[in-house]
Amino acid sequence: MFDWDRFKYDDKMGHAFLDLQPVAAATKLRRALRLTAGETKLRKVAPDVDNCLLSDSFVIYANGEVALDTCLRLRDVESGELFITVKWIEAENTK
């Protein structure tokens, strides 16, 4: 992650990792459960060595989308947090 400066070089602000496997697994679960409406928590994602999560997060199904709203702690800097939303978008069936 970099900050943006108009008159000097952009400064490195740290980096963060997020494992997308729980989001992919939750998408498969949504298909297996045949969810079509409502809001459902599909999977809990806990902080571990494979990600930079600040706290427990949930992959949810709402409004026809599988999404993960979470906060990541930046690494290799004194402090910093990044709030993100990851949405899984299904590819259209093509021949």
Side-chain angles (χ1 to χ4, degrees), residues 14-63:
H15 63 274
F17 296 100
L18 177 64
D19 183 13
L20 296 177
Q21 184 60 36
V23 180
T27 301
K28 289 180 183 178
L29 178 61
R30 183 202 58 85
R31 278 190 238 123
L33 295 175
R34 298 182 184 167
L35 297 174
T36 57
E39 183 172 322
T40 305
K41 289 182 182 178
L42 296 172
R43 185 162 186 168
K44 180 180 176 181
V45 184
D48 63 14
V49 296
D50 292 330
N51 60 46
C52 295
L53 293 177
L54 195 59
S55 62
D56 290 346
S57 299
F58 292 93
V59 180
I60 60 166
Y61 176 76
N63 302 322

Side-chain angles (χ1 to χ4, degrees), residues 16-18 52-54 70-74 80-84:
F17 296 100
L18 177 64
C52 295
L53 293 177
L54 195 59
T70 191
C71 181
L72 302 175
R73 178 174 286 136
L74 296 177
E81 297 174 358
L82 179 65
F83 294 90
I84 65 168

